Amino acid sequence: MKRTAAPLGDLEHELLTILWTHGEMTALDIGRQIARKLKDATIRTVLRRLEQKGYVTHSVESGTFVYRATESAESAAANAVKGIVDRFCGGSIERVLAGLVDAALLDPNQLAVIAGKLKRKPR
């Protein structure tokens, strides 16, 4: 797993989700996809923050910034969970899973699916 990334604000998450869905895009293209009306400067500021946090990178094509996510949504989610595990459970994923079971958020069938994936995963 990579480093634990800085948490995302709602607008940051919204823009990153657009990049995960559509792939590489310009700020203008992202603005066309976002559900709410935002100024171009706002979109560029949020993209710059995402880049500073390590979620996004850009290249320059014909003088235009083209943005792309640096990792998949699944990888970003795993890193966010790692941050929660480290912060609240001292790095113990076992404590997190036990808590999910105790809170009825994870049932034995789901644990069996996870266990099956672990058995099949090459080491």
Side-chain angles (χ1 to χ4, degrees):
M1 226 184 270
K2 290 183 182 178
R3 48 118 184 106
T4 303
L8 292 172
D10 291 341
L11 185 54
E12 291 171 332
H13 183 262
E14 196 171 343
L15 267 60
L16 191 53
T17 298
I18 291 169
L19 286 172
W20 283 327
T21 302
H22 298 283
E24 293 186 353
M25 300 178 81
T26 65
L28 185 61
D29 292 333
I30 292 169
R32 291 181 184 134
Q33 293 295 320
I34 198 161
R36 52 184 137 164
K37 189 70 177 159
L38 295 174
K39 291 183 179 179
D40 187 53
T42 301
I43 293 169
R44 291 178 192 282
T45 297
V46 174
L47 287 167
R48 192 168 37 258
R49 278 197 321 246
L50 285 169
E51 195 161 16
Q52 289 168 347
K53 290 181 176 184
Y55 288 100
V56 169
T57 190
H58 77 274
S59 58
V60 180
E61 296 178 17
S62 301
T64 302
F65 280 30
V66 178
Y67 296 90
R68 67 176 170 77
T70 58
E71 60 186 337
S72 68
E74 295 78 11
S75 178
N79 284 321
V81 169
K82 182 180 182 328
I84 292 168
V85 170
D86 290 345
R87 185 171 186 167
F88 291 99
C89 295
S92 171
I93 193 70
E94 294 85 1
R95 286 179 53 199
V96 171
L97 290 173
L100 291 172
V101 170
D102 290 345
L105 296 172
L106 187 62
D107 66 41
N109 292 332
Q110 292 168 314
L111 282 174
V113 169
I114 293 167
K117 287 184 178 193
L118 288 172
K119 286 179 184 175
R120 290 189 302 274
K121 185 171 176 80
R123 301 224 179 240

